[in-house]
Amino acid sequence: MKTPIAAFAALWLAACTPATPDPAPSSADATPPAASADAASASRATAPPVAEVVDDPLAVNQAIDEVLGDHVRYEAVIRQLQQAVTANDEAAVAALVEYPFSTVRDGQPLKVADADAFVREYDRIMTPAIAEAIKRQKYSQLMVNYKGVMFGNGEAWVNGICKDDACKDVDVRVVALQPTS
């Protein structure tokens, strides 16, 4: 598990370390301090934040491989979930969920037996806040632990469901959609 953290730390440091400044110009070429400050602030204003520049899946894929298993299967479900939620495709989201599915809405337990029931309850289950967390989640910023892969602040979770006693055959599914506030 140290490898993904070390890789992430190296990427973070590289992205956050300022470039070596150019040598100071001679006094004949010097830009007036006011013009220099204006140019520097304009440069900072147009530079995109680090999160918009880098969405490298390497560290997340390594963490999934080490903690949960084959990252290819997880990545496929994660990307399908994001596409289905973005398209507001209730049936496609329902097809990714593990049943029976349980959640809580308005302080009351909500149990969903199958995909048909999920589609009927979709607007109660997939709240705007949960949908937004899923759509905005960058793959490289997913959190991975033994409970699965977490979107946002825990609004959605994807995990492997064992299909045999040895847990060699795993079905990757959405296991939680929950409000976090």
Side-chain angles (χ1 to χ4, degrees):
M1 187 73 150
K2 292 182 182 178
T3 303
I5 293 170
F8 177 75
L11 286 171
W12 181 258
L13 286 173
C16 294
T17 303
T20 306
D22 292 332
S26 67
S27 59
D29 305 343
T31 304
S36 177
D38 290 342
S41 65
S43 172
R44 281 191 299 271
T46 59
V50 173
E52 290 181 29
V53 174
V54 177
D55 191 20
D56 184 1
L58 181 62
V60 169
N61 287 342
Q62 286 178 339
I64 291 171
D65 287 341
E66 290 175 11
V67 177
L68 302 171
D70 181 16
H71 76 268
V72 173
R73 297 176 74 191
Y74 282 84
E75 184 172 4
V77 170
I78 290 163
R79 303 250 188 234
Q80 289 169 11
L81 176 62
Q82 288 184 304
Q83 290 171 352
V85 170
T86 300
N88 202 31
D89 187 340
E90 300 164 355
V93 174
L96 297 171
V97 173
E98 172 66 14
Y99 298 101
F101 181 79
S102 297
T103 190
V104 174
R105 288 299 178 274
D106 303 319
Q108 300 297 316
L110 175 62
K111 298 198 184 291
V112 181
D114 56 30
D116 290 336
F118 187 94
V119 169
R120 283 192 305 275
E121 296 288 346
Y122 186 82
D123 290 334
R124 284 186 64 206
I125 297 168
M126 188 61 67
T127 65
I130 294 170
E132 193 62 25
I134 293 169
K135 289 188 272 188
R136 295 186 67 179
Q137 180 67 54
K138 295 241 187 255
Y139 187 85
S140 64
Q141 296 172 347
L142 287 163
M143 198 278 293
V144 179
N145 69 20
Y146 72 96
K147 293 180 181 180
V149 179
M150 182 182 84
F151 287 75
N153 292 318
E155 289 89 349
W157 285 83
V158 171
N159 202 356
I161 306 301
C162 297
K163 294 172 70 176
D164 61 13
D165 289 340
C167 206
K168 295 290 181 190
D169 189 12
V170 175
D171 195 11
V172 179
R173 309 304 254 156
V174 175
V175 296
L177 296 167
Q178 58 198 9
T180 58
S181 56

